[in-house]
Amino acid sequence: MKLTKEQQIVVEKDEKIVLVKAGAGTGKTEVLARKILHLLEKNVNLSITDFAIITFTNKATDNLKSRIKDYLYSKWQGSSGQEKIRFRYELENINSANISTIHKFCKYILNQAGPISEHNYSYSSNYSIKNNVLDLTIKLSIEEFIQEKKNLNKSIVTFNYIQVYEFEKYIKQAFNQIKSKGYNLEKVIEIFPPVLEDHRNKKEIREEFNLVLKKVNKKYYNLKNRSIDTEELLEYTFQLLKNNKWIVEELQNSIKYLFIDEFQDTSMYQTEIVRLICNSNEKSPNLFLVGDAKQSIYKFRGADQSSYNKTANWVGTIGSVLPLNTNFRSTPELIQLVNVIFQSIREKFPIISFKPENLRIPEFKFKPEIDIKSAYEWILIDKEADYSEEVTKYVQKLIVEGENPGNIAILFRKNRSMLSYAKKLKELNVSYSLVGAGDFYVQKEVIDCYKVLKYYTSFKNEILELEVLESKFFNNNKDLLLTFVSKLDNQSAIQELTPAQFLDMLFSISKINTIMNQQEYANLLKLKELVRKLNKQENIGIYACADWLSIQINSNIEETQATIVENMYKKNEVELITIHKAKGLEFPIVILPELDQPYGKFIKNPSILVDNKLGLGFYYRAYNGNYVELKSSNYDSIIDQYETDLYSEELRVLYVALTRAEEKLVFFGRNSCPSQESCFQNWLDCIKPFY
Ligand SMILES: Nc1ncnc2c1ncn2[C@@H]1O[C@H](COP(=O)(O)OP(=O)(O)OP(=O)(O)O)[C@@H](O)[C@H]1O
């Protein structure tokens, strides 16, 4: 593929700090990959291992790795002598190259730093990541708070209005919001909330909330004891770099270029980490950022537009900000369609800050007449009809008509509904892959493992025995079950058998690898790996493992099935993926289902909101005989801002979804969708269904 002049300028720009600020499908990732190749070509002393390349998701990492691999491969093929040897090394190096998500990059930094004690944290390279410490801290803090009140013979006013579990939930929301935004908890508490509207117990409620929040803050770090959870990894890495110049210097010695894709979803801490490393002194690495503010869709996880804008300004003063304007991904009809949609939204909702400029059609694709109708299809289903049924039938029809399943992606706003589509596709015999959600824990082979664990760890009874016999492991062979049980009984200390060893014995005695298909067996190996990790972190035996697995199975925990090598390269599967995970990817046909779903339903009017200037706002709603509403007076002011942000964020989500398609968009909505509903179907109403 030949780069355009505009892209070539970006690739060849010889400047220490560069930001490529460009729209969807304009080749940001492409120029990033080409820049890497260009640098390697230009400088024989450089290796891919001198680079750190940060992407947003693991899937994007794989995607970028394979682009770079392809280029290195063709370079190797087309060269000879020393150069050929060099590119062969680079091809080998790519697997150990520092290409990863920001979280993995932070772990890399921590590992480089070695064991270190910092205020609030103590870190050693074998730290564990624990995710339930906050829940536990909140529970303990509330228990302590209740006990203290009891000792003083005082009642707790809050609990007259809301239940303890709701209170726990609100405390957690407040704590997470304050932390993820990097606010100072004591300061936020000071201004929170100024008054409670029309409420006689306002003072007590405020004090009780603050007291528990303070307790949580204090206890949290003590309890964590040598563990960092994923959310804090960035904050900690930032602190570490800020307080230890030598770590920054070591990084600067080992990294010559830092590349970051999808920089628009940067968080405050990520920006600060980058700025500490690339502090533009002589030794600091070159920095190459690509981003598109219109595709910033991770606000809920701390993505922060102001950090992105700040960085853009910073780059503007000491480096270069370069644009790319032409969209290479989509057909002219599709590009025009996306432009028409956003033009109409801009006119209809002038208050919304999201105003993407038009995408440009490449010259070589230019046509005098463009009919956008060929780029989309609307399918409006009846009020009672089932989306998963209608969408999967449509997919099947496309395939029967000759479409390759690998060209089709169904993009979801929420991953909750993905599983029902997967089930339907399975029934229709259409192969698919699920990304970012998964039905791992409801696979028969996983449930069968649970049955065997349960049978062995509880009092034996006939029903359990029958269940186990019917499992794939024993296939109604009672002798085999007896052999398994007696082998286990011969183990001198069953309690000491780790869950992974238990599963190993089960797999080997039942010779399950000869019976199961590749995917099923890969799932079993994945389960073994999961329980091994769990055992390492929490030292659980097989009894606790049985309980843990039962919770996973019964509480709809999402986990993707194991990836089998063949699957990784198979391109003939319909892809089921959330819009968020699809960022950076592209598919010929994109289906967007459930467009009438009001997106504000779950996120509108959240119970807790944090604003740096207005403090903590809350809105308790509970029913305990009477309907109770408690609202802090600052809540309405915070929510106004929040709503504008919410709409803009949702529009960016829609923008990402629409710009994933190369040839065609298929919209599924309902013919009964109320016109005042805030949903994608109504945002899209400028392009009418046609028949
Ligand atoms: N000069 C070019 N000529 C032809 N095709 C190109 C050119 N540049 C990029 N492309 C193709 O356009 C598509 C989009 O490129 P890429 O994924 O790099 O865009 P992006 O800006 O990162 O997109 P997004 O931000 O929407 O994820 C890819 O299929 C890429 O191969």
Side-chain angles (χ1 to χ4, degrees), residues 473-672:
F473 297 104
F474 299 104
N475 222 353
N476 286 318
N477 181 341
K478 201 162 178 171
D479 290 341
L480 190 62
L481 179 61
L482 284 176
T483 316
F484 176 61
V485 172
S486 68
K487 272 232 167 153
L488 281 177
D489 287 344
N490 284 342
Q491 292 277 325
S492 52
I494 174 76
Q495 272 86 348
E496 281 173 23
L497 208 62
T498 68
Q501 286 168 330
F502 179 92
L503 291 179
D504 249 346
M505 274 178 74
L506 173 67
F507 300 166
S508 81
I509 288 173
S510 59
K511 296 198 175 66
I512 199 72
N513 58 337
T514 60
I515 303 163
M516 282 186 167
N517 70 30
Q518 213 184 348
Q519 179 67 61
E520 291 167 335
Y521 189 57
N523 282 344
L524 289 183
L525 297 181
K526 173 166 176 161
L527 179 66
K528 195 172 82 177
E529 216 34 58
L530 286 170
V531 300
R532 181 175 283 145
K533 260 196 205 148
L534 189 71
N535 188 44
K536 210 169 143 193
Q537 280 172 13
E538 307 200 359
N539 198 16
I540 61 161
I542 58 167
Y543 290 84
C545 177
D547 290 344
W548 169 82
L549 194 51
S550 140
I551 293 169
Q552 309 298 104
I553 293 169
N554 292 317
S555 54
N556 285 334
I557 298 227
E558 285 175 352
E559 176 76 45
T560 42
Q561 292 194 45
T563 316
I564 43 180
V565 181
E566 196 185 304
N567 255 351
M568 275 164 47
Y569 301 103
K570 227 167 32 184
K571 273 301 271 172
N572 58 355
E573 294 170 330
V574 175
E575 190 127 25
L576 304 178
I577 184 168
T578 61
I579 300 171
H580 283 82
K581 290 264 158 61
K583 197 159 65 88
L585 306 179
E586 56 192 18
F587 315 90
I589 301 172
V590 166
I591 300 176
L592 299 173
E594 305 181 14
L595 294 175
D596 68 315
Q597 290 297 304
Y599 48 73
K601 204 162 151 192
F602 302 101
I603 36 182
K604 235 176 161 180
N605 302 327
S607 309
I608 299 285
L609 280 170
V610 180
D611 182 276
N612 209 13
K613 291 196 190 80
L614 297 167
L616 236 155
F618 74 74
Y619 187 7
Y620 293 164
R621 279 147 293 187
Y623 186 82
N624 47 8
N626 295 315
Y627 191 69
V628 189
E629 284 196 9
L630 293 182
K631 189 154 70 163
S632 62
S633 62
N634 56 351
Y635 185 87
D636 285 339
S637 320
I638 308 182
I639 197 93
D640 278 350
Q641 183 54 43
Y642 172 84
E643 272 189 7
T644 320
D645 289 354
L646 181 74
Y647 284 137
S648 300
E649 175 98 349
E650 287 303 317
L651 270 178
R652 291 193 294 268
V653 173
L654 181 64
Y655 180 81
V656 170
L658 300 180
T659 54
R660 294 312 92 200
E662 295 169 52
E663 290 163 20
K664 188 171 177 181
L665 279 158
V666 185
F667 304 122
F668 272 81
R670 276 191 204 277
N671 48 25
S672 54

Side-chain angles (χ1 to χ4, degrees), residues 1-2 7 25 27-30 67 295 329 584 586 660:
M1 161 202 325
K2 193 169 160 3
Q7 291 174 324
K28 290 184 294 302
T29 311
E30 189 62 39
R67 278 198 210 195
Q295 296 184 61
R329 171 171 299 135
E586 56 192 18
R660 294 312 92 200

